[in-house]
Amino acid sequence: DHHPLQFHHLEVQECADDLDQVTATLARGIADITQVEVALTRSREALAQSEAALLSAQEDERRATLRALHDPATGLPNRVLFDDRVMQGLSLAERHGWSLAVMFLDLDRFKSINDDHGHATGDLVLREVANRLSQHARDEDTVCRSGGDEFLYLLVNPKSRADVERKAIAVLGDI
């Protein structure tokens, strides 16, 4: 009843229909992949923005901590940080049998520098004193500006009283 040509035509049609279904399935798959890629790109962008916001927040926190624990005029630790370092030093000294020494430094006639030359010049003097004191400090030591024209210098585990005296003479000779 079927002519061989007609039978062949039906097979071709079935193959064409199958190809249309495969093509439609592939098109849906490609569309799905495209949607996934778009969503992935958006997610990556959101992640990059979140990472940037986190880094910014961490930097803001670091700066806030730095401001809270350091003197703005000199950059030295402030009294709050110094007191913390003294407490840590006392704990270490007690645990290891170390000694501690604290030097109190007060700049003579500093008020006259501010009065005669202005506060900007006074701040330059404070920064220079801070730099000179810091040059003498070892990593374990702490120099801080206590306020006004007063500085504190914590020496952790100096070798002897003579060592403290030598350090004091050196510091005083440099400022």
Side-chain angles (χ1 to χ4, degrees), residues 141-160:
D141 297 339
T142 301
V143 175
C144 99
R145 179 172 174 218
S146 180
D149 62 350
E150 297 172 349
F151 293 84
L152 298 170
Y153 191 129
L154 172 67
L155 287 98
V156 176
N157 199 25
K159 292 179 181 34
S160 66

Side-chain angles (χ1 to χ4, degrees), residues 107-126 129:
L107 303 179
D108 293 338
R109 298 179 298 281
F110 181 73
K111 185 178 180 328
S112 66
I113 292 172
N114 277 336
D115 292 345
D116 296 344
H117 302 284
H119 289 280
T121 301
D123 286 348
L124 287 173
V125 169
L126 290 173
V129 169

Side-chain angles (χ1 to χ4, degrees), residues 12 20 33 58 81 97 112 116 128 131 136 150 152 161 168 173:
V12 168
D20 284 345
I33 289 171
Q58 288 172 334
L81 183 53
S112 66
D116 296 344
E128 183 60 28
N131 287 336
H136 287 278
E150 297 172 349
L152 298 170
R161 183 178 182 98

Side-chain angles (χ1 to χ4, degrees), residues 14 19 29 42 44 49 76-77 79 100 117-118 130 146 152 168:
E14 284 178 18
L19 281 175
R42 287 185 184 141
R44 285 182 182 136
Q49 290 173 353
L76 288 177
R79 186 63 187 258
L100 298 176
H117 302 284
S146 180
L152 298 170

Side-chain angles (χ1 to χ4, degrees), residues 3-163:
H3 189 277
L5 204 50
Q6 192 178 21
F7 185 72
H8 185 63
H9 178 69
L10 287 174
E11 284 181 349
V12 168
Q13 186 60 47
E14 284 178 18
C15 285
D17 290 345
D18 288 346
L19 281 175
D20 284 345
Q21 286 179 345
V22 167
T23 301
T25 301
L26 285 174
R28 282 192 303 273
I30 289 170
D32 290 347
I33 289 171
T34 302
Q35 287 177 346
V36 167
E37 287 174 345
V38 166
L40 185 57
T41 298
R42 287 185 184 141
S43 294
R44 285 182 182 136
E45 290 169 356
L47 179 60
Q49 290 173 353
S50 295
E51 287 174 343
L54 177 61
L55 287 174
S56 177
Q58 288 172 334
E59 181 60 23
D60 289 348
E61 181 182 5
R62 187 194 65 76
R63 280 195 298 265
T65 300
L66 188 68
R67 280 192 307 274
L69 298 175
H70 290 79
D71 174 59
T74 63
L76 288 177
N78 63 17
R79 186 63 187 258
V80 172
L81 183 53
F82 185 83
D83 289 347
D84 183 65
R85 299 263 175 94
V86 167
M87 296 306 292
Q88 288 178 18
L90 287 170
S91 293
L92 288 170
E94 187 176 312
R95 189 174 318 131
H96 300 291
W98 294 352
S99 61
L100 298 176
V102 176
M103 289 189 276
F104 295 88
L105 302 135
D106 183 76
L107 303 179
D108 293 338
R109 298 179 298 281
F110 181 73
K111 185 178 180 328
S112 66
I113 292 172
N114 277 336
D115 292 345
D116 296 344
H117 302 284
H119 289 280
T121 301
D123 286 348
L124 287 173
V125 169
L126 290 173
R127 278 194 291 279
E128 183 60 28
V129 169
N131 287 336
R132 291 179 184 194
L133 289 172
S134 295
Q135 288 173 359
H136 287 278
R138 303 167 301 166
D139 288 342
E140 61 271 22
D141 297 339
T142 301
V143 175
C144 99
R145 179 172 174 218
S146 180
D149 62 350
E150 297 172 349
F151 293 84
L152 298 170
Y153 191 129
L154 172 67
L155 287 98
V156 176
N157 199 25
K159 292 179 181 34
S160 66
R161 183 178 182 98
D163 190 37

